[in-house]
Amino acid sequence: MGLCKLTVSLTEDKSSIPSKVSRRCKVFRLAARSMASLLAVSSVLLSGARSAGATTVSADQARITQIEQRIAAQGALVQRIVASYDATQAKATSLAKQLTVARVQLTADQKAEAVAMVRLRRIALYAYESGGGVSPTLSLFATSNINVMMIRSEYIDIAGGNINGAINTYRMDQRRTESTAALLRKEQAQTQAVLVQLTRQRQAVQAAIATDESILEHVKGNLQAILAADAAKQAAEQRAAEQQLARQKAQQAAAAAAHQSALPSTSSPPSSTPPPSSTPPPSSTPPPSSTPPPSISPTPGTYVNPLRAINALSPERIDQGVDYSGYGPIYAIGDGIVLNTVNAGWPGGTFITYRLTDGPASGLVVYAAEDIYPMVQVGQTVTPNTVLGTVYEGPDGIETGWADPSGLGYTMAHDYGQFNGSNSTAFGYNFSQLLQSLGAPGGILQNNPPTGSLPPGWPTW
């Protein structure tokens, strides 16, 4: 029985306990208050360290979100530029076709005019040979003989007038076609200039996207390094605080035992409550065990129960993943690569993720979060015999399930909008079924059926 519980029992029966036991109770109460003070100080120190790390992590996460939003906006701009380019290119193609038609029409007009000129020359020749009169147009082809120019010929005059009208018509058509062609060429030049401008804009935006993507990768790498360093620092601080607490408890217990042995013995009856042991009680958050659990030899490509060595394992609710309580080592389900170990947004600050590299869920990302001491590092290769961390009896328990591809702190249930804070999700239920197929107890559904559905091709168990 712990010191606090012993103090309560002694206080309840104080009226019937001799004075020696009352003095002993006072010593235990003092020891309990000292240990409570130490626990509070340790908690404040750890909270301050986590807050400092969380500030840096939150800043990098905010920057990642900002860059991703900017890349999305730039991508939308590229799509608009491409749409404008396609529309302008279609217009340029249409203008080219119209210009070709105009050129064909101009060629036809020029041929018709040539035919009319041939006919006109024939009439002029006929007038010259027959001595008839000529029209002003035909006079261009006549000789300079005044006598010939004055000879009458009504037929020739009429014929010449008809040819003049035809030639004028052909020339008007030709001028109109040339004017249309000139306008088309001008509009075509403007369209080509717009195409060049759109091409430059698209190249500029694509270059900006490439730059932002490079910055994004750098920030993500920096964030992972910060999270890894913060995890190692937190684990070291936590172990130091627990060791100090254990030493303080041992000193308090030794002092209480020494004081008890120094008291004079009396013939009073012994208390029904056993005296406290000189060995300090275990901490509620024990440090990781230095003795590795026994290994197994799974068939390649198969998965193994990751909760097989957790003591007092008790399933709790299904939400984004599956919640459990207990203490002891938690393993990887199968072969994979560690992507992350901490995230300040989760209770306890632990968010271990690894991408499976074998088996039916190869390529998917698994997470184990909350009251766990991480024992792996980012980039480390894991197998079903790898201990990801040590589960301790903290206030939140643990949660395990499917993380999103980034592995930095989000779940698949979050990405698909399935979780509202207190409900069971399709992704959480799917992971619970996987654990049950491996021999672990399944979680408890909060709502049936669970919220949402799995994407096409997602493995089932």
Side-chain angles (χ1 to χ4, degrees):
M1 179 179 291
L3 292 179
C4 294
K5 291 183 178 179
L6 178 59
T7 302
V8 172
S9 299
L10 292 173
T11 303
E12 290 174 349
D13 300 329
K14 187 180 294 184
S15 60
S16 60
I17 296 176
S19 59
K20 181 179 71 171
V21 179
S22 298
R23 288 194 299 272
R24 186 184 307 161
C25 176
K26 182 177 180 180
V27 171
F28 290 148
R29 282 200 296 272
L30 291 173
R33 283 198 292 271
S34 298
M35 285 184 286
S37 299
L38 182 58
L39 282 171
V41 171
S42 300
S43 176
V44 170
L45 290 174
L46 290 174
S47 303
R50 289 175 179 171
S51 298
T55 301
T56 305
V57 171
S58 299
D60 277 348
Q61 288 177 334
R63 189 178 180 193
I64 288 173
T65 301
Q66 182 182 12
I67 294 174
E68 288 176 340
Q69 291 173 348
R70 187 164 64 234
I71 290 175
Q74 291 168 340
L77 178 58
V78 169
Q79 291 179 349
R80 292 196 296 271
I81 291 175
V82 170
S84 298
Y85 182 93
D86 292 341
T88 306
Q89 184 63 57
K91 182 179 179 181
T93 302
S94 175
L95 289 173
K97 291 180 180 179
Q98 295 179 39
L99 188 57
T100 300
V101 172
R103 288 171 179 166
V104 171
Q105 183 62 44
L106 182 60
T107 301
D109 289 343
Q110 290 172 344
K111 288 181 178 179
E113 183 179 2
V115 171
M117 292 298 292
V118 170
R119 292 177 60 192
L120 184 58
R121 288 190 182 94
R122 287 177 181 175
I123 293 173
L125 181 60
Y126 175 79
Y128 174 77
E129 291 176 350
S130 61
V134 293
S135 65
T137 302
L138 297 181
S139 65
L140 296 175
F141 305 94
T143 65
S144 60
N145 192 322
I146 298 176
N147 293 330
V148 173
M149 292 177 62
M150 297 179 62
I151 298 175
R152 60 170 182 81
S153 179
E154 294 181 1
Y155 171 78
I156 297 299
D157 288 341
I158 295 174
N162 291 338
I163 292 300
N164 283 336
I167 291 173
N168 290 335
T169 300
Y170 291 141
R171 288 180 176 172
M172 288 176 62
D173 290 342
Q174 183 178 351
R175 285 193 295 270
R176 184 166 55 249
T177 302
E178 289 176 345
S179 177
T180 301
L183 292 175
L184 289 173
R185 284 193 294 271
K186 181 178 179 181
E187 190 171 359
Q188 187 181 41
Q190 294 174 346
T191 303
Q192 290 297 330
V194 173
L195 288 175
V196 171
Q197 183 180 4
L198 289 174
T199 300
R200 290 175 180 172
Q201 289 179 359
R202 182 173 63 181
Q203 291 173 346
V205 176
Q206 288 174 335
I209 290 176
T211 300
D212 282 345
E213 288 178 342
S214 176
I215 294 173
L216 181 61
E217 290 301 318
H218 176 74
V219 174
K220 284 184 176 180
N222 181 58
L223 177 60
Q224 288 185 346
I226 291 174
L227 291 175
D230 186 60
K233 182 179 178 182
Q234 287 183 17
E237 291 174 346
Q238 183 75 17
R239 285 193 293 270
E242 288 176 350
Q243 291 170 0
Q244 183 180 359
L245 179 61
R247 287 193 297 269
Q248 183 70 16
K249 285 183 177 180
Q251 293 172 359
Q252 295 291 345
H259 183 79
Q260 178 184 0
S261 62
L263 293 175
S265 61
T266 63
S267 59
S268 58
S271 170
S272 60
T273 303
S277 170
S278 60
T279 302
S283 169
S284 62
T285 55
S289 172
S290 60
T291 303
S295 62
I296 59 174
S297 300
T299 304
T302 59
Y303 300 144
V304 180
N305 177 11
L307 311 177
R308 60 185 180 274
I310 294 182
N311 300 300
L313 180 66
S314 177
E316 297 178 356
R317 71 174 187 171
I318 297 173
D319 45 24
Q320 299 182 84
V322 191
D323 293 345
Y324 291 93
S325 62
Y327 61 94
I330 180 171
Y331 294 84
I333 285 180
D335 296 342
I337 299 175
V338 177
L339 304 179
N340 188 42
T341 57
V342 295
N343 184 289
W346 282 77
T350 298
F351 192 81
I352 304 171
T353 57
Y354 56 99
R355 189 184 309 279
L356 294 170
T357 57
D358 205 351
S362 178
L364 301 183
V365 179
V366 178
Y367 73 92
E370 301 183 2
D371 293 341
I372 305 173
Y373 288 111
M375 298 183 66
V376 291
Q377 297 179 347
V378 175
Q380 179 178 336
T381 300
V382 297
T383 72
N385 285 318
T386 303
V387 176
L388 299 176
T390 300
V391 179
Y392 59 86
E393 292 184 287
D396 301 298
I398 67 167
E399 179 174 319
T400 182
W402 297 116
D404 76 353
S406 73
L408 293 178
Y410 294 106
T411 66
M412 290 297 293
H414 171 274
D415 286 359
Y416 277 74
Q418 296 181 0
F419 186 58
N420 59 28
S422 61
N423 63 296
S424 297
T425 66
F427 285 102
Y429 182 58
N430 175 264
F431 200 82
S432 176
Q433 291 177 312
L434 169 59
L435 293 175
Q436 283 185 288
S437 71
L438 301 177
I444 302 171
L445 278 172
Q446 306 301 298
N447 45 277
N448 194 7
T451 304
S453 60
L454 302 173
W458 195 269
T460 55
W461 319 98

